[in-house]
Amino acid sequence: MADLQLALLLNAVSPAVGGVLVRGEKGTAKSTAVRALAALLPGVPVVPGCRFSCDPAGPDPACPDGPHAAGPGTVRPARMVELPVGASEDRLTGALDLERALSEGVKAFEPGLLAAAHRGVLYVDEVNLLHDHLVDLLLDAAAMGAAHVEREGVSVRHASRFLLVGTMNPEEGELRPQLLDRFGLTVEVAASRDTGERAEVVRRRLAHDADPAGFAARWAGEEAALRQRIADARQLLPRVRLGDAALRQIAATCAEFEVDGMRADIVMARAALALAAWAGRETVLAEDVRQAALLALPHRRRRNPFDAPGLDEDRLDETLERNAEPDGGGGPDGGPGGDGEGPDGDGEGPDGDGQGPGGGPGTPPPLPGGPRAEDSGTSGEQSGSSGPGAAADGEEPPGSPPQDAAERPPAPAAAPFRTRALSVPGVGEGAAGRRSRSRGAHGRTTGARTPHGRPGALHLTATVRAAAPHQHARRRSGTGLVLRPEDLREAVREGREGNLVLFVVDASGSMAARQRMSAVKGAVLSLLLDAYQRRDKIGMITFRGTEAEVALPPTSSVEAGAARLARLATGGRTPLAAGLLRAHEVLRVERMRDPARRPLVVTVTDGRATGGPEPLDRARRAARLLAADGTAAVVVDCESGPVRLRLAGALARELGGPAITLDELRADTVSALVRTATTRRAA
């Protein structure tokens, strides 16, 4: 939380830093801290009556409410505008004022959230769940500092420069790289494990609930002092000097950590300037550069979603020391890691031991690491030894009685690869994504229809066309149209949806060959990466021994998926029926949660079933249960050896999908096989 406070305060001092992305587990007061920022921001001078918050000292010449005459203006409190995850495009960008257009016959623009957030804060809670069409609009506005609206005969451009703040729980999915890079700073928040701190949190929360006004009055003095310090730092900021030594350290640090582009260098420079101003200094020190790097670089170092955000602080210190000036790089008592105090001698300046300037938060704690594809196992690892009576590759010999093999250590996953595009046949109505065809509220308009119930996005032209022939009969007078509910038409739009890809993986002794499981894990990881890019959900069920378990609940989180797959062990009997029944149960629950999301079940097995009476018959009945729900399915046949029982093919027929041999499960073909399976099902 200390790091979050520092990041928010730096943006309050210098909005040019570019905002904050707050990552953390649930229940850590991320949203509470962000919403508290608005009360600390200085007032904003605006042109009276301007809906777009123009600055009276330099009004926007293209303002839709302009031109504005010169004047003193008025001061209003800074705004924090919240963007709901489920907002429409019209709500974000603004659109034609339909009420005035239809009643008065005039073309008027109704501003959206981008206009309201101009010169303020735009806050997105659960920003990782924001739909792609809204992300695209945010990216355009953040890059250009302006919003452009071209729709329904309206052409408007207005200024939209805002401080973007987002909060997210990584367990619910990752953020698109383009939007991730737009956040100037990032902070990882975790709940304190200190008993005293946790008790104090509860004590203060109970005190607030008992007397909100009294609680606010108790802290009003400290809040006022903090507000004044922000104002003083803003006044000092233009006089802060970024010397060549500090600038060289910034450039060397970004180059050393191989961040993409130049935005990281600029953000680090702005953050270092803000840190110096916050500490009351006019010179950027090496400690400012270090703290700026810890806030600005972790989320920019990710090469793919399997990489956990973070920064090696030892490597950072070595880089800063290597690129410091011989006299210490401009910092007191040497470069980073020194023990000198700030120039005012009161201990509020950087002291080199990780404390932030101005007595602020300390160096962020080490960010939790995550599994990386290259760290998932030791290269050159040989196949594990097989159990008693098993074939050389760990498979049970045909005809031998099933035996419980000892649990084998997890096999490493093969390197992930780029998959081909997958799609579920037909046209769905699921959540917006980038995979299968869908009909819904987003996408390109393909027509109009009479709404069933409350209309969605209004198709203006079709509505006017439906009402026009009846104006004489309705005794129209004036310029507006006389409308009836039956005149309304909603737009029919076609776009792309996300799907649920559910893997049912045989982890029994007959599948325990490490090379085989490595290939399967690599395929699942690759499809998980593809699902992240296409906004899918993905899940995995494993079965071995006597039961099946949900190894990965349906999720969009790449990091969670990689971690679960890395721990997947093999060994034991083959309860195939249990795996299929568990898949049926998972899909039943998911249909209740999201009935519009269409699933695809990929069963990875050799088709064998052991344990209990008539295991094969029970597996076939479970497969027919899945097929009865209309679930698209494909079976990846992992059977090998000279004797083939072809049980996977029989299972595929019960599921109503094709069977693909393990030889075809190559890194460059697995996605094509799934696509082929869905195409065959459509035929």
Side-chain angles (χ1 to χ4, degrees):
M1 188 57 67
D3 302 320
L4 173 56
Q5 292 173 5
L6 177 60
L8 291 173
L9 290 171
L10 292 181
N11 276 274
V13 171
S14 175
V17 169
V20 185
L21 174 64
V22 188
R23 296 165 50 92
E25 59 195 29
K26 53 186 175 293
T28 49
K30 302 184 296 293
S31 300
T32 301
V34 172
R35 292 188 176 101
L37 176 65
L40 301 176
L41 296 176
V44 179
V46 297
V47 173
C50 179
R51 297 175 297 167
F52 301 89
S53 302
C54 279
D55 187 349
D60 181 6
C63 176
D65 285 355
H68 298 298
T74 60
V75 178
R76 63 161 174 79
R79 290 176 180 166
M80 175 168 289
V81 178
E82 293 197 34
L83 171 59
V85 171
S88 65
E89 294 181 24
D90 292 349
R91 185 72 186 99
L92 179 61
T93 63
L96 178 68
D97 189 333
L98 290 177
E99 181 178 355
R100 295 189 61 190
L102 296 177
S103 62
E104 302 177 19
V106 298
K107 185 167 63 175
F109 178 70
E110 184 178 7
L113 296 178
L114 289 178
H118 179 46
R119 304 176 67 201
V121 179
L122 182 62
Y123 171 49
V124 189
D125 193 13
E126 305 296 347
V127 64
N128 51 324
L129 303 182
L130 199 64
H131 288 307
D132 280 353
H133 67 287
L134 298 180
V135 171
D136 294 337
L137 294 172
L138 271 183
L139 288 173
D140 290 341
M144 304 300 296
H148 296 263
V149 183
E150 299 282 350
R151 60 179 61 190
E152 297 160 346
V154 174
S155 179
V156 173
R157 175 212 168 272
H158 63 83
S160 182
R161 290 181 294 276
F162 47 82
L163 178 63
L164 183 61
V165 180
T167 55
M168 61 174 284
N169 183 349
E171 294 179 358
E172 297 174 341
E174 290 298 329
L175 205 59
R176 279 175 53 183
Q178 297 91 333
L179 184 57
L180 186 66
D181 192 47
R182 284 293 170 186
F183 288 97
L185 310 178
T186 186
V187 176
E188 191 87 15
V189 178
S192 173
R193 298 298 182 258
D194 181 82
T195 303
E197 289 185 4
R198 296 176 73 97
E200 182 62 21
V201 169
V202 176
R203 186 178 297 111
R204 293 189 186 184
R205 175 56 191 262
L206 294 177
H208 175 271
D209 292 344
D211 183 11
F215 185 86
R218 174 185 171 189
W219 296 96
E222 293 190 24
E223 190 172 274
L226 190 58
R227 189 182 301 111
Q228 183 60 47
R229 186 175 177 186
I230 292 174
D232 294 343
R234 280 193 171 189
Q235 292 181 353
L236 177 62
L237 183 63
R239 303 197 302 272
V240 178
R241 185 179 65 87
L242 180 65
D244 290 341
L247 185 57
R248 184 167 53 252
Q249 286 183 317
I250 291 172
T253 301
C254 293
E256 174 69 20
F257 286 97
E258 300 178 346
V259 296
D260 294 331
M262 296 294 297
R263 185 173 286 117
D265 305 62
I266 297 172
V267 170
M268 272 190 64
R270 290 170 174 168
L273 289 167
L275 281 162
W278 180 247
R281 291 184 273 98
E282 296 187 6
T283 302
V284 172
L285 304 181
E287 288 80 358
D288 300 327
V289 176
R290 184 183 192 276
Q291 185 67 58
L294 291 172
L295 294 173
L297 295 188
H299 62 301
R300 292 186 165 89
R301 293 194 59 245
R302 304 182 67 185
R303 287 293 176 264
N304 60 65
F306 296 106
D307 296 336
L311 206 64
D312 185 338
E313 296 191 31
D314 292 336
R315 183 180 172 191
L316 173 62
D317 290 337
E318 292 174 2
T319 302
L320 293 175
E321 184 176 358
R322 188 168 60 249
N323 291 276
E325 286 186 334
D327 61 356
D333 297 335
D339 56 3
E341 293 183 342
D344 54 6
D346 61 359
E348 291 189 353
D351 59 6
D353 62 356
Q355 290 292 328
T363 302
L367 300 178
R372 297 173 59 97
E374 60 267 30
D375 297 332
S376 58
T378 305
S379 60
E381 187 172 7
Q382 302 299 319
S383 299
S385 59
S386 54
D393 62 354
E395 183 179 4
E396 294 174 353
S400 62
Q403 301 182 29
D404 283 336
E407 180 179 303
R408 293 165 173 79
F417 52 88
R418 183 175 294 277
T419 66
R420 301 178 187 178
L422 310 180
S423 63
V424 174
V427 180
E429 296 183 353
R434 292 189 166 191
R435 186 172 300 282
S436 305
R437 292 176 58 200
S438 70
R439 188 179 296 114
H442 311 297
R444 60 186 181 89
T445 301
T446 59
R449 65 186 176 189
T450 302
H452 300 287
R454 185 176 180 178
L458 189 66
H459 195 294
L460 180 60
T461 305
T463 299
V464 173
R465 188 182 298 116
H470 308 289
Q471 297 306 297
H472 180 72
R474 296 171 184 173
R475 298 181 180 180
R476 170 193 170 192
S477 62
T479 57
L481 291 176
V482 180
L483 293 178
R484 298 286 186 268
E486 60 268 20
D487 299 329
L488 298 180
R489 299 291 183 270
E490 64 181 1
V492 176
R493 296 176 176 174
E494 184 171 306
R496 294 282 172 177
E497 67 173 0
N499 300 114
L500 169 60
V501 181
L502 182 62
F503 282 84
V504 182
V505 181
D506 186 347
S508 65
S510 65
M511 291 284 295
R514 293 178 70 79
Q515 284 186 335
R516 191 179 309 167
M517 285 307 300
S518 293
V520 170
K521 286 186 177 182
V524 176
L525 283 173
S526 301
L527 284 174
L528 181 59
L529 175 59
D530 185 64
Y532 156 76
Q533 295 169 340
R534 299 181 185 277
R535 289 299 184 262
D536 285 327
K537 274 188 170 182
I538 193 166
M540 186 176 68
I541 294 171
T542 63
F543 56 94
R544 66 186 183 92
T546 60
E547 60 184 11
E549 66 174 349
V550 180
L552 176 64
T555 180
S556 297
S557 174
V558 177
E559 293 177 350
R564 303 291 175 85
L565 288 169
R567 296 194 297 265
L568 177 61
T570 58
R573 295 177 181 268
T574 313
L576 177 57
L580 297 175
L581 290 174
R582 181 58 65 91
H584 181 269
E585 177 62 19
V586 168
L587 293 181
R588 184 187 67 82
V589 174
E590 286 299 308
R591 285 190 180 99
M592 295 174 61
R593 293 175 177 171
D594 189 357
R597 189 180 293 270
R598 296 184 291 165
L600 171 67
V601 175
V602 180
T603 305
V604 184
T605 181
D606 55 10
R608 300 181 185 184
T610 58
E614 300 181 348
L616 283 177
D617 287 341
R618 287 189 289 111
R620 294 190 182 106
R621 288 196 297 271
R624 288 195 291 269
L625 185 63
L626 274 172
D629 291 335
T631 303
V634 59
V635 175
V636 178
D637 185 359
C638 300
E639 189 175 33
S640 62
V643 179
R644 303 292 181 94
L645 301 180
R646 305 191 185 281
L647 297 175
L651 176 65
R653 288 191 292 272
E654 298 290 351
L655 287 168
I660 310 299
T661 65
L662 185 62
D663 292 337
E664 295 172 307
L665 192 63
R666 300 197 314 268
D668 58 346
T669 60
V670 60
S671 296
L673 299 179
V674 179
R675 183 176 59 180
T676 300
T678 57
T679 302
R680 291 179 183 175
R681 184 175 182 85

